[in-house]
Amino acid sequence: MTLYSNIIGEGKPFIILHGFLGMGDNWKTLAKHFSESDFEVHLVDQRNHGRSFHSNEFDYDLMADDLKRYCEDKKLSDIIVLGHSMGGKTAMLFAAKFPKLVHKLIVADISPRYYPVHHEAILEGLSSLDFSTITSRGEADDALSHYVHETGTRLFLLKNLYWVEKGQLGLRINLKVLRENVSEVGEALPVHATFQKDTLFLRGDRSEYIGEADEAIIHRHFPNSKIISISNAGHWLHAENPKEFYIAVMNFVS
C-alpha cells in the first residue's frame, strides 16, 4: 500500500513529514513557498494519519519502510527530507536506513532520544467524541475543550474531522491503533543508526524538545549536523514563526 500525498510544484524532490495526529496538509502554506524555488514538494500522510491507509501495526521501522516504498513508486532519489516531531523521527530513521536516497535531512524540534508518553489527555479527548450526537465542528470543539484547553491545539486536532457521509462526522486518523501504540511515538533512534550527510536540526527557542543535553546525542547520530534555534517559537515552530523557519530551511538547501 502506498502513502497518500499532495504534490506541489516541480523540480528537486522535497518530502515533508507531519507530526503525531497531523497530516501533510498542515504544511500546505510552507510547501507552496518551497515550490516557488524549483522544488517538487511531497506532503505525505504517514500510516494511520490523514488519507493514508490504516494498519494495526505502527512503529518507526514500518514508517521508514513506507516512505522507501513511496519513493520507489514515485521514482524519487536524491531527496531532501524534512520531518517535524514524529515525522522527524521517521525522517531520521529513513535517512539512516536508506542514505543513498537522501541528499539532505532537516529535523524540526525533535531529538533522536526517547521521550515519555505525553499525549494522554489529547487521545482521551478525541476518544470521547461521540459522532452519533456531534453534528458540527463547533460541537466537536466544545466537547474536546473539556480535555484540551488550548484553542490552537484543538484547531490542529480538529483538522482530522471529515464528513464520512452526509450528516455523519468522523476522524481521519486511526485513533484506536494510535492510542494502543502511542508509546512507539517516543521511541529513540536505534543506537547504531547514523547518517553522514548534511543535516539541519531546527528547534523552537521556547520548546523543551531539544535541550543542551540533546546536542551530543544529535552529533553522535548525525556527525555532519548543525542545530539552529527559531526565535519566538515553541514546538510548532513552523507555524509560530514560518518566516524564520522558511529562511533557515532555504539557506540550508540552496
Side-chain angles (χ1 to χ4, degrees):
M1 284 183 281
T2 305
L3 298 170
Y4 173 87
S5 68
N6 182 6
I7 301 170
I8 299 169
E10 291 177 6
K12 187 172 178 59
F14 188 147
I15 290 176
I16 299 181
L17 299 171
H18 60 82
F20 187 55
L21 306 176
M23 62 183 80
D25 272 6
N26 299 148
W27 285 79
K28 219 179 209 170
T29 306
L30 268 169
K32 282 177 180 165
H33 291 313
F34 292 138
S35 74
E36 286 157 12
S37 298
D38 299 320
F39 289 108
E40 180 183 88
V41 186
H42 294 247
L43 296 176
V44 173
D45 289 349
Q46 299 186 82
R47 66 166 58 202
N48 293 319
H49 288 77
R51 290 175 170 84
S52 277
F53 61 88
H54 286 190
S55 165
N56 289 327
E57 296 176 301
F58 182 77
D59 62 41
Y60 285 117
D61 232 13
L62 291 166
M63 290 194 281
D65 291 348
D66 288 343
L67 193 57
K68 164 117 185 321
R69 211 156 29 246
Y70 177 85
C71 292
E72 288 169 350
D73 287 349
K74 302 287 185 194
K75 297 182 171 49
L76 304 180
S77 60
D78 207 28
I79 311 153
I80 292 162
V81 184
L82 185 167
H84 171 243
S85 202
M86 178 190 83
K89 284 270 181 85
T90 304
M92 285 186 245
L93 186 57
F94 174 76
K97 284 180 82 168
F98 312 111
K100 287 180 180 171
L101 287 174
V102 182
H103 175 58
K104 287 186 174 185
L105 172 65
I106 305 156
V107 179
D109 214 56
I110 199 80
S111 155
R113 68 173 162 90
Y114 166 79
Y115 290 80
V117 174
H118 55 280
H119 299 95
E120 295 99 325
I122 284 173
L123 291 168
E124 197 178 332
L126 290 170
S127 300
S128 77
L129 298 178
D130 180 0
F131 293 115
S132 66
T133 60
I134 291 170
T135 56
S136 72
R137 200 168 283 270
E139 287 174 8
D141 183 51
D142 187 49
L144 194 56
S145 69
H146 299 293
Y147 298 84
V148 181
H149 304 306
E150 290 176 352
T151 308
T153 306
R154 287 201 310 278
L155 286 173
F156 161 76
L157 294 168
L158 292 173
K159 284 185 178 171
N160 286 293
L161 275 183
Y162 78 114
W163 294 104
V164 182
E165 53 190 54
K166 194 175 179 186
Q168 179 60 56
L169 280 168
L171 293 170
R172 289 201 188 278
I173 46 170
N174 188 352
L175 186 57
K176 179 179 178 288
V177 167
L178 293 178
R179 203 172 178 187
E180 286 167 0
N181 294 279
V182 66
S183 61
E184 294 290 344
V185 179
E187 281 300 313
L189 199 64
V191 177
H192 303 297
T194 59
F195 178 68
Q196 305 295 328
K197 297 180 192 174
D198 290 347
T199 304
L200 174 66
F201 279 78
L202 295 169
R203 63 179 167 200
D205 67 347
R206 295 200 304 257
S207 171
E208 294 174 1
Y209 275 73
I210 299 179
E212 277 182 36
D214 291 300
E215 292 178 17
I217 303 164
I218 286 169
H219 292 307
R220 190 163 68 240
H221 287 282
F222 303 94
N224 285 308
S225 62
K226 57 181 177 179
I227 304 165
I228 292 176
S229 291
I230 302 297
S231 64
N232 301 313
H235 186 54
W236 306 98
L237 60 176
H238 57 290
E240 291 167 35
N241 193 343
K243 190 175 179 184
E244 198 174 312
F245 185 92
Y246 171 80
I247 291 166
V249 169
M250 291 309 298
N251 286 342
F252 176 67
V253 298
S254 54

